[in-house]
Amino acid sequence: MSFITDGRCEVVTTLSQNMAERLMVALDFPNAEKARSLVASLQGIPCYMKVGMQLFYAAGPDFVRELKDKGYSVFLDLKMHDIPNTVRGGADSITRLGVDMFNVHAAGGTAMMRAAREGAQEAVEENSSLSLPLIIAVTQLTSTDQRTMNEEIGIQGSVEAAVVRYARLAEEAGLHGVVASPLEVQAIREACGPDFRTVTPGIRPAGSSALDQARILTPGQAIAGGSSYIVVGRPITGAADPREAAQHIIEEMMNA
């Protein structure tokens, strides 16, 4: 199998295919036109596409459907955090879009997380053409450092301890995994087992700036540490050649 675009054919191994499928590209754009341009530049690379708040609020469900029609796996990153009944309804609607993954905030508690799973299951039961998406919980944002968590958010103890506590709650609620810094993956695996998924933002290729992230690793370090998926935004979307940047990241993942 090969990555193909604009007549170019790049040799692809089973390993590179696998790593490409574990790369989530964050489409953090203000409109669909800019996102489409980036997606076109990555044509043929079977990465996940992550649609967050900025793009979803601007382009709406139709853009998610457009990505699915193009054959991409889609992570809808809206971080739901509300009363259980509201989250249940939101999960039902999101599942009907055909997304492959969505998330909620673990801070909403186990009842809210269970409601998310129930809402997704209800949508699948009503429409047999749908598949249950992976449902994951946000633990602590990768922009959150120890001081911010302790002094501003009001959670005491270490960041790692807070992340592991949330991961255990998510597992108890029947979710499939969590969003966490790659620095906490090993502790999450020890607490929740190897099949519990970890989606890790805070990824910066070797030699790039940390920007506004506080807890980061390189793509290779994250994969070697056990991350199920890595999320990369600006190092790809802001690159002069996004395709080349994505290929370099996949190579880093392969060499882990």
Side-chain angles (χ1 to χ4, degrees):
M1 182 175 180
S2 301
F3 300 155
I4 302 173
T5 182
D6 297 332
R8 289 184 292 170
C9 181
E10 295 139 0
V11 175
V12 177
T13 65
T14 301
L15 178 59
S16 62
Q17 172 82 11
N18 175 264
M19 292 301 164
E21 291 172 352
R22 294 169 66 182
L23 170 63
M24 294 181 160
V25 178
L27 300 178
D28 295 328
F29 293 103
N31 55 59
E33 289 71 27
K34 290 186 176 181
R36 287 188 188 105
S37 177
L38 189 283
V39 170
S41 73
L42 301 179
Q43 180 186 342
I45 299 178
C47 53
Y48 248 90
M49 293 297 177
K50 185 179 84 70
V51 176
M53 296 179 192
Q54 183 184 26
L55 182 57
F56 188 77
Y57 295 160
D62 285 345
F63 188 75
V64 173
R65 296 186 185 99
E66 182 178 323
L67 289 173
K68 291 302 302 177
D69 288 344
K70 291 180 183 296
Y72 287 104
S73 294
V74 175
F75 169 24
L76 187 54
D77 178 20
L78 299 183
K79 302 181 179 70
M80 288 191 291
H81 188 174
D82 213 313
I83 64 172
N85 189 60
T86 298
V87 170
R88 180 184 289 107
D92 181 290
S93 296
I94 286 172
T95 300
R96 292 176 192 276
L97 289 177
V99 303
D100 302 273
M101 180 184 294
F102 71 87
N103 58 3
V104 300
H105 265 290
T110 52
M112 188 205 75
M113 288 189 279
R114 287 194 187 100
R117 173 129 190 170
E118 290 165 1
Q121 288 174 325
E122 288 165 6
V124 171
E125 288 169 2
E126 290 182 16
N127 185 345
S128 60
S129 69
L130 296 171
S131 297
L132 186 71
L134 296 174
I135 309 170
I136 59 176
V138 177
T139 54
Q140 287 293 329
L141 301 177
T142 50
S143 59
T144 301
D145 58 18
Q146 184 81 31
R147 186 202 64 79
T148 301
M149 191 185 79
N150 293 162
E151 299 179 15
E152 297 183 16
I153 300 174
I155 297 175
Q156 299 307 305
S158 69
V159 172
E160 181 176 290
V163 167
V164 170
R165 182 172 65 253
Y166 279 144
R168 285 182 171 138
L169 289 175
E171 182 184 36
E172 180 184 332
L175 302 196
H176 302 98
V178 291
V179 181
S181 154
L183 298 175
E184 289 100 42
V185 167
Q186 183 175 352
I188 292 168
R189 285 181 171 270
E190 289 173 358
C192 301
D195 295 330
F196 194 68
R197 275 89 162 182
T198 50
V199 176
T200 56
I203 304 298
R204 290 290 179 265
S208 64
S209 169
L211 298 171
D212 57 355
Q213 302 285 2
R215 307 192 323 278
I216 64 173
L217 288 180
T218 67
Q221 289 170 331
I223 292 298
S227 293
S228 305
Y229 302 93
I230 66 169
V231 179
V232 183
R234 287 165 286 185
I236 293 175
T237 61
D241 186 337
R243 185 181 189 82
E244 182 179 11
Q247 294 283 37
H248 284 320
I249 287 169
I250 293 169
E251 289 170 9
E252 284 193 50
M253 295 166 72
M254 291 170 61
N255 292 329

